[in-house]
């Protein structure tokens, strides 16, 4: 059962090949048996999963159940779950049990989806390797000596190892697409404001966006159908109709114009990845698309701008963890100052502290204009590059294509001593967060590397609210290639 896609599982439940309880039990057994190899879950919610499965079986028997009714999924441990510990990968929230569900979690519950548990992640979603988790690193199912990517590494590893058919994830600078690329999955970051951020623990509020991690584009469409909604509780959530994202998957690509930015193929890109991405371009030509070279001239400024804006927002967001209201509190504080200082010193890991320090500095009086306000101006230029690329009066492309990451999965420790090397992992993904655009990663090859045979991710970037087209373009690629069907060694 575990090698089926969500689309196939939906059919299986309706054809009574298995019940949701059997399916859920099957995944729970796999998690229990295999997850010690990957460390992809922080919490497994066995009892509630089986209870939800029984309820879903009743709904299915009564007919007219929503698509995801009875389908087991995992949630990144950044989404608040009523009565279930939500750690955000941090000691700060090691014992935090929220009294409410994030809207994303609520939306899946309303469909009758079954929650298997909460997945491991970089602490407060800061990282590209999952090595910053307080709960230990996650291992890549393709090679357990390698990182799965981050910050949604647990969501990626559990889907790649077929411990869950799909998982939720979040992307602030690449955290859905980069782990999807490194684990051979399909990951979608929707337009900023497409999915509610309510109940999703904030890292950088103007960049954070939730999305699905799946094996196919079709599954991503099914997952997004449930995930996307207007939510008045999130003031940045946009009131925009939610189409049926599966409706346009089979559209022909005849007449589609794909832009290929020169800046995404420069220095630093692993040649084997360039070869795989170029082969994907050839596939798209055969599918009827026209390829157009474009330029996104401010690409090289996206990592520096992000590493001012994201830390600035995180320093403000994480000020709420003060040892007073909730989260870790130090023992026997001498006074209020000691309570703040020691609770935060003990509760946060090194990368989170580094970001808070950088962010507080960039926002401080005297430096605000030099750093923060400058970075915001650069952000506007980066956004304008994309607006021009999609503008019919200018470059006029429908989709932008390039690599997701400069390298395949790397060994543990390979980049952890050098924050800048780690930050450059997201060189191709960060600009779309700064611009608020939707983007996805899908598998486009397997390459020989020093760490064995590893998957490569192809990135597709769409115009605002053009997720349906993005999914269509990804789905058509998956109709004529089988990279998304490859599974890590030992996973059948
Ligand atoms: N790797 C980037 C960072 O560390 C992006 C993380 C994310 O998208 N959550 O900030």
């Amino acid at each position: 059962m575990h090698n089926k896609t969500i689309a196939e599982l939906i059919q299986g439940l309706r054809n009574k090949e298995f019940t949701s309880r059997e399916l859920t039990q099957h995944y729970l057994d796999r998690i229990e048996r295999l997850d010690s190899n990957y460390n992809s879950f922080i919490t497994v919610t066995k009892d509630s999963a089986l209870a939800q499965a029984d309820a879903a079986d009743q709904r299915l028997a009564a007919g007219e159940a929503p698509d995801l009714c009875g389908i087991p999924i995992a949630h990144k441990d950044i989404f608040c779950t009523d009565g279930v510990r939500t750690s955000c990968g941090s000691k700060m929230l090691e014992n935090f049990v929220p009294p409410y569900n994030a809207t994303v979690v609520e939306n899946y519950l309303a469909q009758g989806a079954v929650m298997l548990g909460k997945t491991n992640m970089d602490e407060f979603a800061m990282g590209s390797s999952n090595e910053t988790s307080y709960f230990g690193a996650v291992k890549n199912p393709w090679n357990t000596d390698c990182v799965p990517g981050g910050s949604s590494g647990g969501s990626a590893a559990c889907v790649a190892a077929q411990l869950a058919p799909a998982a939720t994830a979040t992307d602030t600078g690449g955290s859905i697409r980069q782990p999807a690329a490194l684990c051979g999955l399909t990951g979608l970051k929707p337009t900023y404001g497409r999915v509610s951020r309510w109940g999703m623990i904030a890292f950088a509020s103007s960049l954070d966006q939730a999305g699905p991690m799946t094996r196919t584009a079709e599954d991503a469409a099914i997952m997004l159908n449930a995930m996307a909604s207007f939510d008045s509780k999130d003031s940045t959530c946009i009131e925009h109709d939610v189409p049926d994202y599966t409706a346009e998957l089979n559209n022909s690509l005849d007449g589609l114009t794909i832009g290929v930015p020169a800046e995404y193929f420069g220095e630093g890109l692993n040649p084997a990845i360039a070869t795989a991405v170029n082969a994907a371009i050839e596939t798209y030509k055969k599918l009827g698309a026209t390829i157009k070279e474009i330029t996104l001239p401010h690409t090289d400024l996206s990592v520096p701008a992000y590493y001012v804006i994201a830390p600035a927002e995180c320093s403000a967001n994480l000020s709420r963890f003060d040892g007073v209201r909730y989260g870790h509190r130090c023992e026997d504080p001498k006074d209020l100052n000691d309570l703040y200082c020691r609770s935060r010193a003990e509760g946060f890991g090194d990368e989170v502290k580094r970001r808070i320090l950088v962010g507080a500095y960039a926002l401080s009086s005297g430096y605000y204009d030099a750093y923060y306000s400058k970075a915001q101006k650069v952000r506007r230029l980066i956004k304008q590059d994309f607006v021009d690329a999609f503008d019919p009066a200018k470059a006029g492309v429908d989709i932008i294509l390039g690599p997701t990451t400069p390298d395949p999965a790397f060994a543990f420790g390979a980049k952890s001593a050098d924050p800048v090397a780690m930050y450059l992992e997201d060189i191709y993904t960060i600009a779309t967060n700064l611009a608020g655009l939707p983007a996805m990663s899908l598998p486009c090859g397997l390459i020989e590397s020093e760490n064995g045979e590893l998957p490569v991710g192809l990135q597709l970037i769409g115009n605002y609210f053009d997720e349906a087209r993005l999914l269509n373009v990804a789905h058509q690629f998956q109709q004529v290639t089988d990279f998304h069907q490859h599974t890590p060694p030992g996973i059948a």
Side-chain angles (χ1 to χ4, degrees):
M1 280 187 267
H2 52 270
N3 54 14
K4 290 195 187 324
T5 63
I6 293 185
E8 291 164 347
L9 293 174
I10 290 172
Q11 277 316 311
L13 284 171
R14 276 158 186 71
N15 298 340
K16 302 199 170 28
E17 288 163 35
F18 40 79
T19 62
S20 174
R21 177 173 258 269
E22 285 162 354
L23 188 61
T24 302
Q25 189 65 59
H26 179 73
Y27 279 108
L28 290 169
D29 290 347
R30 281 182 68 78
I31 294 169
E32 191 168 306
R33 201 154 47 80
L34 300 170
D35 198 39
S36 53
N37 300 327
Y38 312 114
N39 197 26
S40 67
F41 280 87
I42 291 176
T43 304
V44 179
T45 47
K46 187 169 177 216
D47 294 343
S48 61
L50 290 170
Q52 288 171 1
D54 287 341
D57 280 328
Q58 283 182 9
R59 269 174 97 174
L60 283 159
E64 306 209 354
D67 277 353
L68 287 172
C69 187
I71 303 291
I73 58 170
H75 287 303
K76 184 175 180 179
D77 209 16
I78 197 168
F79 294 101
C80 285
T81 38
D82 190 359
V84 176
R85 170 174 70 160
T86 301
S87 74
C88 219
S90 181
K91 177 175 180 182
M92 183 57 89
L93 293 177
E94 188 177 5
N95 299 309
F96 171 55
V97 178
Y100 65 97
N101 282 320
T103 299
V104 162
V105 172
E106 254 332 297
N107 287 351
Y108 286 113
L109 276 178
Q111 284 244 333
V114 172
M115 179 175 87
L116 294 169
K118 308 290 297 288
T119 61
N120 202 344
M121 54 181 284
D122 277 304
E123 186 178 8
F124 284 102
M126 298 172 198
S128 301
S129 67
N130 229 291
E131 292 167 291
T132 74
S133 170
Y134 174 65
F135 297 88
V138 176
K139 295 173 184 166
N140 190 321
W142 288 86
N143 176 347
T144 50
D145 293 328
C146 289
V147 306
S151 63
S152 311
S155 292
C158 78
V159 178
Q162 300 185 2
L163 308 183
T168 57
T170 62
D171 192 311
T172 303
S175 282
I176 294 176
R177 290 160 286 159
Q178 186 255 10
L182 271 45
C183 291
L185 298 175
T186 303
L188 167 67
K189 177 201 101 68
T191 308
Y192 182 78
R194 172 73 292 185
V195 174
S196 171
R197 290 184 299 108
W198 196 75
M200 189 176 111
I201 295 170
F203 161 14
S205 309
S206 77
L207 301 159
D208 299 341
Q209 186 63 194
M213 190 89 87
T214 54
R215 289 177 49 211
T216 65
E218 183 181 22
D219 283 2
I222 297 168
M223 285 289 283
L224 187 62
N225 276 349
M227 191 185 253
S229 64
F230 171 65
D231 181 5
S232 57
K233 296 200 289 278
D234 169 4
S235 61
T236 61
C237 196
I238 297 172
E239 203 161 355
H240 204 286
D241 286 347
V242 181
D244 175 357
Y245 289 107
T246 62
E248 291 178 26
L249 291 175
N250 293 317
N251 287 0
S252 153
L253 301 191
D254 266 339
L256 182 87
T257 306
I258 298 181
V260 178
E263 293 81 0
Y264 284 34
F265 291 83
E267 202 192 331
L269 177 63
N270 180 312
I273 294 195
T275 304
V277 173
N278 283 323
I281 293 175
E282 292 307 312
T283 304
Y284 275 115
K285 284 186 191 159
K286 288 197 196 113
L287 285 167
T290 305
I291 306 296
K292 187 167 182 176
E293 265 195 41
I294 59 165
T295 166
L296 299 170
H298 297 94
T299 297
D300 61 337
L301 299 179
S302 58
V303 171
Y306 173 90
Y307 278 98
V308 173
I309 293 169
E313 292 187 22
C314 109
S315 74
N317 274 325
L318 271 58
S319 64
R320 73 192 64 177
F321 303 108
D322 55 6
V324 177
R325 285 164 285 203
Y326 62 113
H328 177 75
R329 174 180 294 182
C330 67
E331 298 276 340
D332 301 323
K334 280 202 307 286
D335 53 27
L336 188 60
N337 220 25
D338 188 42
L339 169 76
Y340 290 154
C341 291
R342 276 202 294 126
S343 298
R344 287 169 69 81
E346 293 165 10
F348 291 136
D350 288 348
E351 183 61 24
V352 172
K353 285 179 189 158
R354 180 180 295 129
R355 307 267 181 127
I356 293 173
L357 287 172
V358 169
Y361 180 83
L363 288 175
S364 59
S365 139
Y367 295 107
Y368 179 95
D369 286 333
Y371 295 110
Y372 182 72
S373 127
K374 193 52 145 256
Q376 291 290 21
K377 290 176 186 159
V378 171
R379 179 179 192 171
R380 186 67 179 75
L381 295 173
I382 291 167
K383 175 189 165 165
Q384 194 61 42
D385 285 353
F386 288 107
V387 170
D388 291 346
F390 291 120
D391 182 350
K394 295 191 174 153
V397 303
D398 302 307
I399 289 282
I400 295 171
L401 174 154
T404 307
T405 60
D407 281 305
F410 47 93
F412 287 106
K415 301 191 185 198
S416 37
D418 180 355
V420 175
M422 189 71 90
Y423 296 168
L424 287 173
E425 259 302 290
D426 296 318
I427 186 145
Y428 306 127
T429 51
I430 274 179
T432 51
N433 297 78
L434 291 167
L437 289 163
M440 61 192 295
S441 180
L442 59 154
C444 72
L446 275 180
I447 58 170
E448 262 320 315
S449 77
E450 56 186 11
N451 296 307
E453 198 171 54
L454 292 171
V456 178
L458 175 73
Q459 182 173 216
L460 302 174
I461 302 168
N463 207 344
Y464 297 102
F465 290 100
D466 217 3
E467 284 84 358
R469 171 148 34 193
L470 210 43
L471 288 158
N472 164 228
V473 175
H475 180 69
Q476 289 306 306
F477 184 80
Q478 295 184 338
Q479 297 309 103
V480 295
T481 59
D482 64 357
F483 303 115
H484 59 291
Q485 285 164 351
H486 292 302
T487 50
I491 310 269

